[in-house]
Each structure stands twice: as structure tokens, then as C-alpha cells.
Amino acid sequence: MGNRIALRATLNSVRVKICGITRVEDAQAALAYGADAIGLVFYDKSPRFVDIGTAQAIARVVGPFVSVVGLFVNASPAEVQVTVSRVGLDLLQFHGDEDELFCRQFDRPYIKAIRMLPGLDIEAEAKHFACARGLLFDSWSESKYGGTGETFDWHRLPDNIEKPLILAGGLTPDNIEKAVLETKPYAVDVSGGVEVAPGIKSAALIDRFIRRAKNAQNHTRSQERSL
């Protein structure tokens, strides 16, 4: 499985990002149950969109060792820059048709979403984003840039991507253990799978999702040690 396995084998635990946070109390729940990152959506066509003021309030409750990630879809450079400066984002996530030149101009590390269009040359697409800190693989939809609630065929994930692999798309507390065991990702990203309504998270679902993701990784390490 090449370089990706070598990278994953050094990790203590899969990272978990709870995306689409719209309320301070949901951010606090994510932090309480061990999330490594929270995601704020700055795409106004999303039901999980947050304005600058709401984002600032959420970011203020996040501790120094949890990343605040800003998600953008085909935003203007000015919009991204203003949001970065006013909210204090740690990491940028680009989910639209942005190219490498666009993504790297904001003096922040970034990850790029690759939506798994049938027939996509995934390795070629990944090479377009040499400066990305990681690549997020999500389900394809003709009408949405994310948040589809659908999984994709995890067997399509390439084995020789050298960057951290972030798995998204239709993840829930019910399938996250299987997802981690099968793909061994650097991180997983969930939004709708821990919600009771679009943008409204469930603390109980967040807790269950994170526990099962971490437990699956622990099971994987136990198996590796026994070989």
C-alpha cells in the first residue's frame, strides 16, 4: 500500500473533524467529546452557513489545541481573506473548483476536497495540489459541493497518495468503524451524520461517532501489534 500506509502507521489515533458547526453549544459538545477540529461553512448556499459574527463566537470557545477550519466554495480572494483575518482560522478547506494557485495565496495551510466523480483520474487530480496539507475525499453530486449524506466506493481511494487522507461523505456513528478499518485514514470528517436537523448537531451522536472512530483505530493498532 506504499507511502500512505507508512504515514498512517505512525499515527496514534485517527483525527476527527466535526464540520458544519452553527452553534456555540455544538462546538462545546464537539470539544467535550474529543474532536480534533471543527468546521465552519462560509458557503451561503449551504444550510450550515455561518456569518462572520456567529463564526467569531464559535471560534472563541475553541481551545488552542483544536483546529478551527473554514470551508469555502468558489469564494472570492477578498471574501476568504476577510474571513481568515476576522475569525482567526487555523486551516482552510476548499470544496469547489479552486486551483492550487488560488488555494495557497492566503498564508494559511489548506486542504482540498476531491469529489469522487465516476471515472475521475484521482491520482492526477491529487497532483494538482502539491501544497495541500491533506486531501479530503468526498462523494460526488451534480448539484452539491458537499453535504450529500452519501458514501462512495472506498475501494476507489488510491494507495500511493503521499498526503494525509481525510475521509468524508455519508459517515455516521453506524458506519464509522467500518470506514476507519477499511480505509485507515489520517482523519475523518462528519457533518450531517451527527445532526438532528441541517446545522443542528446532536451531542449524543457526536459522542458516539468520536468514540467509535477512535475505538476502530485502536482495534487496528491491536491487530497490527499481533502480526
Side-chain angles (χ1 to χ4, degrees):
M1 299 283 283
N3 291 326
R4 205 178 76 198
I5 288 240
L7 173 65
R8 290 200 308 255
T10 67
L11 303 178
N12 291 323
S13 182
V14 65
R15 277 70 167 169
V16 177
K17 172 171 164 275
I18 307 297
C19 197
I21 296 286
T22 63
R23 306 186 302 172
V24 167
E25 57 263 43
D26 293 342
Q28 291 171 325
L31 300 175
Y33 291 119
D36 301 284
I38 65 162
L40 303 174
V41 177
F42 298 104
Y43 177 51
D44 61 9
K45 293 181 174 60
S46 169
R48 300 170 183 91
F49 169 76
V50 289
D51 58 29
I52 294 290
T54 302
Q56 288 173 324
I58 293 170
R60 280 194 291 269
V61 306
V62 178
F65 296 130
V66 175
S67 297
V68 178
V69 183
L71 188 155
F72 299 89
V73 177
N74 298 331
S76 70
E79 179 183 350
V80 177
Q81 193 60 63
V82 167
T83 306
V84 168
S85 62
R86 294 184 63 185
V87 179
L89 300 172
D90 301 305
L91 181 70
L92 307 182
Q93 178 175 330
F94 293 107
H95 240 276
D97 306 306
E98 305 89 355
D99 60 17
E100 164 84 348
L101 185 63
F102 181 93
C103 295
R104 70 186 188 194
Q105 67 180 296
F106 301 105
D107 193 31
R108 286 290 189 282
Y110 80 89
I111 58 177
K112 182 67 176 75
I114 296 179
R115 295 179 293 134
M116 299 293 279
L117 173 70
L120 178 70
D121 186 337
I122 300 165
E123 294 179 26
E125 183 71 9
K127 289 178 181 177
H128 293 160
F129 299 97
C131 294
R133 290 290 181 88
L135 297 172
L136 182 146
F137 293 86
D138 199 359
S139 303
W140 164 260
S141 168
E142 290 188 13
S143 60
K144 295 181 179 180
Y145 282 97
T148 65
E150 301 291 333
T151 60
F152 61 90
D153 181 1
W154 298 327
H155 293 100
R156 292 181 61 202
L157 291 170
D159 293 330
N160 57 352
I161 298 295
E162 297 184 12
K163 294 183 180 299
L165 185 156
I166 303 158
L167 182 66
L171 299 178
T172 71
D174 294 328
N175 67 13
I176 186 58
E177 289 180 284
K178 184 174 187 287
V180 172
L181 289 170
E182 289 193 11
T183 67
K184 299 180 176 64
Y186 172 84
V188 293
D189 191 318
V190 65
S191 185
V194 293
E195 290 181 341
V196 294
I200 306 300
K201 306 304 189 207
S202 160
L205 290 176
I206 290 173
D207 178 26
R208 196 178 311 154
F209 184 92
I210 294 174
R211 281 191 292 105
R212 290 180 176 179
K214 305 283 186 180
N215 286 342
Q217 186 73 16
N218 291 337
H219 177 68
T220 299
R221 293 203 307 273
S222 297
Q223 286 184 323
E224 289 171 350
R225 285 195 298 267
S226 67
L227 294 178

